[in-house]
Amino acid sequence: MSDTHAQSVAYVRETAIPPAPPPANETGVIKWLRENMFGSVANAIMTILALWAIYAVLSVVLPWVVNGVWDADSIRDCREKLGDQVGACFAVVKERWPQLVFGNYPSEHYGRAIIAFVLLFVALAPILFFELPRKMLWFTGLYPFLAYWLIWGGTLWTPVVALMGVVFAFFAYRLIANRSFFGALIVGLVALLVFWLLFVAPLSNLFAAIVPLRLETVQSREIGGFMINFILGTTCISLSLPLGIALALGRRSNLPIIKTICVLFIEFIRGVPLITLLFVASVMLAYFLPPGANFDLIIRVIIMITLFASAYIAEAIRGGLAALPSGQYEAGDSLGLDYWQQMRLIILPQALKISIPSIVNIAIGLFKDTTLVSIISMFDVLGMIGGPILSSTEWFGVYWELYAFAGVMFFVFCYGISQYSQYLERKLATDHR
Amino acid sequence: MKKTVLIGALALAGVTAGGAAAATLDDVKARGHLNCGISTGLVGFASQDAQGEWQGFDVAVCRAVAAAIFGDPTAVEFSPVTNKVRFEVLNSGEIDMLSRNTTWTYSRDVDLKLEFAGVNYYDGQGFLVPKELSVTSAKELDGATVCIQSGTTTELNLADFFRVNNISYTPVPIATAAEAQQQYLAGACDVYTTDASGLAATRAAFEDPSAHVILPEIISKEPLGPLVRHGDNEWGDIVRWSLNALIAAEELGVTSANVEELSAGTSNPEINRLLGSEGNLGEMIGLENDWAKNIIMAGGNYGEIFERYIGENTPIGLARGLNAQWTNGGLLYSPPFR
């Protein structure tokens, strides 16, 4: 020790102070509150306002939900049971549950619809989650035909023959696939259409005459409720994706005719509200079709919504394509890949990944837009509520309960889709930022 | 050569189109059921029970026509249609008839090429206001906001009424009666106007009906009835006389309870002709001779249907009023079955 510190050494501590807990307002709940809730005067005011708002909402909503009546015959019965209390009349949801979910689907066939619904998730699983065995994709391919048969009924031979058409088209595609991917695709599609138009009806009738294998037929008009939102949503989204990709590629094509057709189509569809297209499907088409030609309303609506969604998806994917650096295209060229190989192996996977948020946006929007069909007197879940249920003498006047219920149903599914898309984005995050 | 093919195709299209328009009855019989357009939901007139069965006053007309044709009131496919598309759907041939609280007006009859088969409910447009507004006459409604269903005759009547009385209003367009009720209760409009039957139904569903008054003015005539397309008079006759059979049966005292007994033959020749035990009225119209009997068996006469769906003992609680038989001071008057 040097002399310099000789006088001060008496004041120097020889042992370390034992660690003390931080001051009370720098720890735990208080710290968190101080930092996050009352960091400044403005934050404090916002916090108090927000708490007050939450209280105001909950003080109305909670008693309404908690006091809810679940067993009653009619709204008058509900009101009697509630007396002076504020409360919801959930009895209507309970009594009309099958109608809300299935519409006028015959109750003895609910089982079929439920099986189709459950199998939908089995079919979707291998597409949504890459970890699952790839063999499951076989079932995904079969599912549309199976679901059609389960929901609409009729003879099993119709979907089977339709499936044979797909196999036939596949062989047509394979025949040319080596020479030109695009040509093969076109040939395959044409073969499919020709087969379906010419052979499905006669062949399935022929087979059905030998071995019936029938489920009881359900008319399209009987399908309703949340079921129809789901059918329209899933079918239209899955159909509009490939169509959207084709349109996006077409729009960027160097061939003027293809490009013009795609641009015209996209701009026309995007320039018209969906509701207009639905009116065309429901009302106008009947004028153009020969009398007696019974073109199923659901199919008409599916076609219209699919066209609508594909135009938007095409633009989303075009954004993805445009966002790719030109080096990616040049990389493809330098490898000697042709246009379709380049697209399939290099460009589209990246472009699609970039467009995931917009595609999911469109998918969620589309799912919600399916409620618009209630305007053209199809009884989807909202049509069912606004029409037959609210106008029955028992339930005339119930309002919030039903719409809240529909809101919850849509929230569950739309939130699910959005969560999945975030999972997908995290999973595909290859940019290593 | 090409021209001939084109003309041939056109002619063929014309023939098929003409054929389809002409013989609706044959189409319906071949199909095995009637396609009937109804409201997507109107309390008392068309609604679904928990089993999904359509029922109501307008629905009963569809069932009556089905019973007349097939002897089976369930041989109907109901197509619920909205205000906006109802005439297009009928004209395009998707439905055979429309029974949907539709007002018989000149332009609909003449210009839209529709044919009204009669009147099954005489209505008139009225106003519903909260009592606390202390309004006693519709003429005091200057500056009011009015909830009104778009695409209906009520909309036009309202404009006429306010113009005649030189007062102003702000319309709040709504789509369905249920929505109107909600908007009105939420205070989005001071006044709700629609046909008086609808007002009564709406008020009956309120938690406190006594807090709302229906103003005394009825500002329009709203004869509501079923309708068919122009150009197939035989089909129009079937709908028209099915409705008349309902009305005549009440006048003659034929009910669902005694129709079986009366159809064996009575001392009243008109009942005998109506129920087919005498004469050949059914044959004339292209149906079985007991067609009217089937109608009454299916749902009862006009009075019974009225009481079941909208009468004073239902929650809707409508008095017969104008819809009483002409013998009781109302307007219901069926031409004779002779």
Side-chain angles (χ1 to χ4, degrees), chain A residues 223 228 272 333 404 429:
Chain A
I223 299 173
I228 201 156
V272 177
D333 288 337

Side-chain angles (χ1 to χ4, degrees), chain B residues 23-329:
Chain B
T24 314
L25 179 61
D26 295 340
D27 289 351
V28 173
K29 278 183 172 167
R31 197 190 305 136
H33 61 81
L34 173 73
N35 285 337
C36 194
I38 52 172
S39 165
T40 51
L42 185 66
V43 184
F45 288 82
S47 67
Q48 269 185 321
D49 62 14
Q51 282 72 49
E53 281 294 309
W54 283 99
Q55 47 179 290
F57 192 68
D58 283 338
V59 173
V61 175
C62 297
R63 296 211 184 274
V65 175
I69 299 169
F70 299 106
D72 174 10
T74 59
V76 199
E77 289 272 6
F78 292 106
S79 291
V81 289
T82 57
N83 276 331
K84 297 184 186 73
V85 300
R86 53 186 163 177
F87 302 122
E88 286 82 355
V89 171
L90 179 60
N91 265 330
S92 68
E94 268 184 62
I95 54 176
D96 306 313
M97 60 177 285
L98 183 68
S99 172
R100 186 198 184 285
N101 65 312
T102 301
T103 307
W104 186 346
T105 68
Y106 180 92
S107 57
R108 283 176 183 172
D109 198 332
V110 175
D111 198 28
L112 287 179
K113 305 264 181 273
L114 301 171
E115 185 176 336
F116 282 81
V119 176
N120 70 333
Y121 193 88
Y122 289 95
D123 216 334
Q125 186 176 346
F127 296 96
L128 180 70
V129 293
K131 204 171 237 171
E132 62 188 30
L133 225 58
S134 52
V135 173
T136 53
S137 157
K139 291 181 181 155
E140 298 167 22
L141 290 174
D142 196 10
T145 49
V146 185
C147 279
I148 186 151
Q149 291 190 40
S150 43
T152 60
T153 48
T154 28
E155 201 178 15
L156 309 173
N157 297 328
L158 183 76
D160 286 355
F161 175 78
F162 276 73
R163 199 168 70 193
V164 166
N165 289 292
N166 203 15
I167 48 182
S168 66
Y169 70 102
T170 316
V172 179
I174 41 101
T176 64
E179 190 189 331
Q181 187 224 26
Q182 190 60 25
Q183 295 285 349
Y184 171 78
L185 282 183
C189 47
D190 307 321
V191 191
Y192 173 38
T193 180
T194 188
D195 293 349
S197 61
L199 290 183
T202 304
R203 193 172 72 146
F206 288 170
E207 253 182 297
D208 180 12
S210 62
H212 302 268
V213 283
I214 295 176
L215 297 178
E217 281 92 351
I218 297 292
I219 64 163
S220 70
K221 293 179 288 186
E222 304 282 346
L224 310 178
L227 56 154
V228 295
R229 279 181 297 277
H230 245 211
D232 185 354
N233 296 1
E234 286 76 18
W235 176 244
D237 283 343
I238 288 175
V239 178
R240 173 174 303 111
W241 286 94
S242 298
L243 180 60
N244 284 337
L246 290 172
I247 297 171
E250 188 188 18
E251 188 188 341
L252 298 170
V254 182
T255 66
S256 52
N258 66 13
V259 62
E260 194 69 71
E261 181 190 333
L262 293 179
S263 65
T266 64
S267 56
N268 183 337
E270 185 156 15
I271 295 181
N272 292 348
R273 284 193 297 270
L274 174 67
L275 298 182
S277 57
E278 205 179 298
N280 60 344
L281 293 187
E283 198 181 303
M284 285 181 206
I285 204 169
L287 300 173
E288 301 294 316
N289 233 6
D290 60 352
W291 64 284
K293 178 189 159 196
N294 289 332
I295 290 179
I296 311 301
M297 298 254 286
N301 61 34
Y302 183 91
E304 289 176 82
I305 294 172
F306 194 99
E307 283 315 313
R308 188 175 323 129
Y309 296 116
I310 51 180
E312 278 174 322
N313 295 323
T314 64
I316 299 162
L318 291 175
R320 283 297 286 268
L322 287 177
N323 295 293
Q325 290 286 336
W326 64 287
T327 45
N328 294 334

Side-chain angles (χ1 to χ4, degrees), chain A residues 76 79 95-96 99 104 221 279 282-283 286-287 291 300 375 377 379 384 387-388 390-393 396-397 399-400, chain B residues 40-43 46-50 52 54 77 79-82 85 88 94 178 181-182 202 205-207 315-316:
Chain A
R76 288 168 291 280
R79 283 179 184 150
E95 193 197 90
R96 298 299 177 107
Q99 275 186 336
N104 295 327
R221 75 174 78 218
F279 270 115
S282 82
V283 180
Y287 282 109
R300 282 188 254 165
I375 305 283
S377 3
F379 284 133
M384 208 70 213
L390 277 185
S391 64
S392 61
T393 26
F396 189 62
Y399 197 86
W400 290 95
Chain B
T40 51
L42 185 66
V43 184
S47 67
Q48 269 185 321
D49 62 14
W54 283 99
E77 289 272 6
S79 291
V81 289
T82 57
V85 300
E88 286 82 355
E94 268 184 62
Q181 187 224 26
Q182 190 60 25
T202 304
F206 288 170
E207 253 182 297
I316 299 162

Side-chain angles (χ1 to χ4, degrees), chain A residues 30-113:
Chain A
I30 296 176
K31 174 172 187 250
W32 186 85
L33 275 179
R34 211 166 52 80
E35 281 184 355
N36 294 299
M37 296 295 191
F38 301 96
S40 67
V41 177
N43 280 1
I45 294 174
M46 289 307 292
T47 302
I48 291 169
L49 276 181
L51 283 178
W52 175 81
I54 291 172
Y55 168 77
V57 170
L58 283 187
S59 66
V60 177
V61 172
L62 271 187
W64 186 74
V65 173
V66 173
N67 287 341
V69 175
W70 285 93
D71 277 300
D73 302 330
S74 69
I75 182 167
R76 288 168 291 280
D77 198 13
C78 262
R79 283 179 184 150
E80 240 165 64
K81 285 190 174 157
L82 279 171
D84 293 336
Q85 283 179 313
V86 179
C89 185
F90 292 119
V92 60
V93 177
K94 190 176 163 192
E95 193 197 90
R96 298 299 177 107
W97 168 259
Q99 275 186 336
L100 286 168
V101 176
F102 297 105
N104 295 327
Y105 203 77
S107 52
E108 64 268 29
H109 301 320
Y110 283 170
R112 276 162 46 183

